[in-house]
């Protein structure tokens, strides 16, 4: 059976819908596309989606300096193969 190929727009749309549905009770905000990568050998899309949740808001002195608007973000990598989501994982962070 041949793999079902989807284009980048379809992969991104599917990733957004998946994240939105999976985290529906967590009041996500600032949902945004961060990265898209196609892995040729495995015919998979890796779509990184970023978002904030209410408890991600920074507190303390830094938040006061930033006007209380500083939020951290979560980044999730959605792996899609043959038109199906096969995994969701945290994006590995890179130390500066």
């Amino acid at each position: 059976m041949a793999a079902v190929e989807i284009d980048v727009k379809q992969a991104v749309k599917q990733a957004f819908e998946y994240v939105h549905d999976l985290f529906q009770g967590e009041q996500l905000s600032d949902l945004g596309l961060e990265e898209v990568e196609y892995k040729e050998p495995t015919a998979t899309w890796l779509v990184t989606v970023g978002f904030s949740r209410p408890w991600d808001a920074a507190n303390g002195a830094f938040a006061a300096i930033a006007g209380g608007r500083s939020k951290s973000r979560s980044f999730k990598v959605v792996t899609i193969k043959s038109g199906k989501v096969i995994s969701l994982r945290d994006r590995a962070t890179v130390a500066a």
Side-chain angles (χ1 to χ4, degrees):
M1 185 170 171
V4 176
E5 291 297 324
I6 61 172
D7 68 19
V8 66
K9 289 181 180 180
Q10 292 169 314
V12 169
K13 182 178 184 222
Q14 190 171 6
F16 269 71
E17 289 172 355
Y18 187 79
V19 168
H20 185 265
D21 288 345
L22 191 62
F23 293 94
Q24 67 182 335
E26 297 190 17
Q27 302 171 338
L28 301 186
S29 63
D30 305 323
L31 190 65
L33 176 64
E34 302 293 333
E35 299 175 341
V36 179
E37 182 179 3
Y38 183 73
K39 297 287 193 173
E40 186 77 37
T42 57
T44 55
W45 287 101
L46 304 177
V47 181
T48 305
V49 177
F51 55 85
S52 299
R53 294 179 264 199
W55 56 86
D56 291 333
N59 295 316
F62 180 74
I65 293 169
R69 293 177 292 185
S70 180
K71 289 184 184 179
S72 63
R73 289 177 62 76
S74 295
F75 299 99
K76 303 295 182 186
V77 180
V78 181
T79 304
I80 300 170
K81 183 178 177 111
S82 301
K84 292 183 178 180
V85 173
I86 58 171
S87 72
L88 174 95
R89 62 178 170 78
D90 285 332
R91 181 176 75 180
T93 56
V94 178

